Amino acid sequence: MSTDRIPLAGAEVAVVGGSIAGCATALAAHRAGAGRITVHERTEGHLADRGVGLAVHNDRYAELSAAGYLDAAMPWVQLTTRRWYVRDGAVPLGRQIAALPFPFRSYCWGPLWRELRGRLPADTVFRQGVTVRAVSDAADGPRLHLDDGAGGRRTDRFDLVIGADGYRSVVRDAAFPGVRPRYAGYLAWRGAVPAERLTELDFPGLGPAPWAQEDCVYGVFPGGHVIIYRIPDGHGGHRANWVLYTSPPAGAGLDLDSPTSLPPGTLTEALHTRLAHVAGELLPPYWGGLVGLTPPHEVFIQPMYDFTAPRYTAGRLLLAGDAATVARPHTGAGAVKALQDAAALEAALRALPERPDALETYGTERGATGRTMVELGRGLGRFLVQDTPDWRTLDQAGVAGAWAAADGSGAFGGRALKEGVRTPHD
């Protein structure tokens, strides 16, 4: 359906998905002058309690701050250096093979979501525990077909629908039915450790804080790696966030062809055993011990998928965040791209009165960015997990050269926003 007759002032806008991408795109619609905005989030829990880490490149932070989607009030930790370690017998930290610049700010998912949620206007309707079963189109606007969580069903009409509902997006299914995430062949085990618990790691010759707050650690081994960095805990302290990438154990019996995740408390014994083996036998002792501090019932798994929609728009259906593109987390740009999508969407919505094709342009341009990030994620996945070099033979120059070859596009941390999108909001 064409968007050239949408009067944005007073328009009824639905956002499907209430996470970071959903809150950011709702904020974009509000700043662009939309009427009533309704956010639909299927989970009923406290989203602000989620403790996963994420990182934002300093340059992307500057752009998103100028656009009004990040600011210094949001809790963060400055990272500067990425140190690469390989196991070297009983040496606690392992042998450092390289140290590369890493100009990123780290965040905790929950506190960042809380800050974005708090910036939404008071009249935003935020519905939790509501499942959007399907999306359909009609001459007078798209419809959401809803389950209210109590057995009731309803259908609501809107002028615009923004799909920010993740990689299993029902909005994307309506816009592009043939686009499906594809399993990449390996998993990411994830967890976090309160910083005060790091003192439990007692290794001879190591002090109580053997790694600097500004360091991001890459512990590499044949067939995978772990990334470890500090994040704010939302209460004035820090947590050590870790993500370990490697293949699942043989005969794990996982059905991963359909997009899924394994939340805390659902991992099988075989998956816990695989993690314990990597932490105990393949990582340097200190970093493996850090991973082991996370209680098993708190560890969760994120299977690696990637895909991108050809465009981010289909008439009055708009896509953003993981609903539009999922690139593997190696890119260091998942949250960045979601916030960039919101900033670009705001600029497009503002331009609609003078440029009826503004949303189509948004869809085409962000679609191109999505393709770049998916290809980058695949290249880094091959280098870091699927076809790893013999790390023991690499030094500073070798790691730097191998990384530069894997990041051929130079898009690690995210592509730059267009100039017209970076201007401060009203």
Side-chain angles (χ1 to χ4, degrees):
M1 180 186 297
S2 171
T3 58
D4 59 2
R5 292 185 299 275
I6 296 177
L8 191 60
E12 296 267 349
V13 177
V15 177
V16 182
S19 64
I20 286 176
C23 289
T25 51
L27 190 59
H30 164 67
R31 289 175 175 170
R36 190 175 68 164
I37 300 167
T38 305
V39 180
H40 304 78
E41 170 55 43
R42 66 175 178 269
T43 64
E44 297 185 15
H46 297 286
L47 297 180
D49 293 338
R50 295 182 180 178
V52 175
L54 57 96
V56 175
H57 193 286
N58 287 358
D59 291 345
R60 305 291 80 79
Y61 168 80
E63 296 164 358
L64 289 165
S65 177
Y69 288 87
L70 289 175
D71 60 58
M74 299 173 173
W76 56 284
V77 174
Q78 181 65 64
L79 306 174
T80 65
T81 307
R82 175 170 37 168
R83 300 189 185 276
W84 301 67
Y85 294 93
V86 295
R87 188 179 178 98
D88 186 4
V91 177
L93 297 181
R95 176 167 58 90
Q96 181 176 303
I97 58 174
L100 302 178
F102 196 74
F104 280 75
R105 292 173 171 231
S106 72
Y107 294 85
C108 184
W109 196 99
L112 180 58
W113 174 86
R114 184 170 58 240
E115 293 286 339
L116 287 167
R117 174 72 177 87
R119 285 161 169 74
L120 295 179
D123 60 354
T124 302
V125 180
F126 200 96
R127 295 176 176 168
Q128 283 197 251
V130 174
T131 299
V132 179
R133 292 183 292 107
V135 179
S136 60
D137 215 344
D140 61 341
R143 263 74 169 170
L144 299 188
H145 304 275
L146 310 169
D147 288 339
D148 64 10
R153 292 190 170 187
R154 58 186 289 179
T155 298
D156 291 345
R157 188 202 74 83
F158 294 90
D159 297 303
L160 283 175
V161 170
I162 302 171
D165 47 338
Y167 61 98
R168 291 177 284 190
S169 171
V170 295
V171 182
R172 187 188 66 250
D173 280 347
F176 303 104
V179 175
R180 290 288 185 276
R182 184 174 66 184
Y183 174 51
Y186 58 98
L187 311 175
W189 281 255
R190 305 194 66 160
V193 180
E196 55 268 22
R197 291 201 61 201
L198 298 180
T199 58
E200 299 174 26
L201 299 172
D202 185 14
F203 289 91
L206 287 186
W211 58 299
Q213 177 176 302
E214 62 269 19
D215 282 355
C216 172
V217 170
Y218 272 47
V220 292
F221 56 88
H225 66 293
V226 66
I227 300 175
I228 303 170
Y229 55 88
R230 288 179 175 83
I231 60 174
D233 64 5
H235 305 287
H238 291 159
R239 293 167 69 84
N241 177 77
W242 60 266
V243 189
L244 188 147
Y245 300 90
T246 194
S247 59
L254 300 174
D255 179 12
L256 300 175
D257 289 335
S258 297
T260 188
S261 61
L262 286 77
T266 67
L267 276 64
T268 64
E269 187 63 32
L271 292 170
H272 284 299
T273 299
R274 172 66 168 157
L275 177 62
H277 169 74
V278 172
E281 304 296 330
L282 302 182
L283 291 177
Y286 181 88
W287 309 117
L290 186 153
V291 168
L293 288 177
T294 302
H297 67 274
E298 293 182 7
V299 176
F300 66 100
I301 284 182
Q302 176 184 356
M304 292 294 98
Y305 296 95
D306 50 28
F307 77 95
T308 188
R311 301 180 310 282
Y312 283 23
T313 51
R316 299 193 184 198
L317 304 181
L318 316 176
L319 300 176
D322 286 352
T325 296
V326 167
R328 302 180 205 179
H330 314 302
T331 62
V336 163
K337 199 193 72 63
L339 295 172
Q340 287 182 332
D341 290 346
L345 180 58
E346 177 186 346
L349 291 170
R350 287 178 179 271
L352 267 180
E354 291 76 33
R355 289 178 43 223
D357 66 339
L359 287 178
E360 286 76 8
T361 300
Y362 159 82
T364 300
E365 291 179 348
R366 296 308 295 166
T369 296
R371 288 190 292 275
T372 296
M373 301 315 297
V374 166
E375 288 307 311
L376 172 62
R378 289 171 178 167
L380 293 177
R382 287 190 292 271
F383 167 52
L384 292 167
V385 181
Q386 296 167 303
D387 189 18
T388 54
D390 185 350
W391 297 110
R392 298 167 300 173
T393 68
L394 297 185
D395 57 10
Q396 176 81 16
V399 172
W403 178 268
D407 181 21
S409 64
F412 180 63
R415 284 290 196 191
L417 273 173
K418 290 182 62 178
E419 285 292 338
V421 179
R422 304 180 198 175
T423 54
H425 65 86
D426 294 339

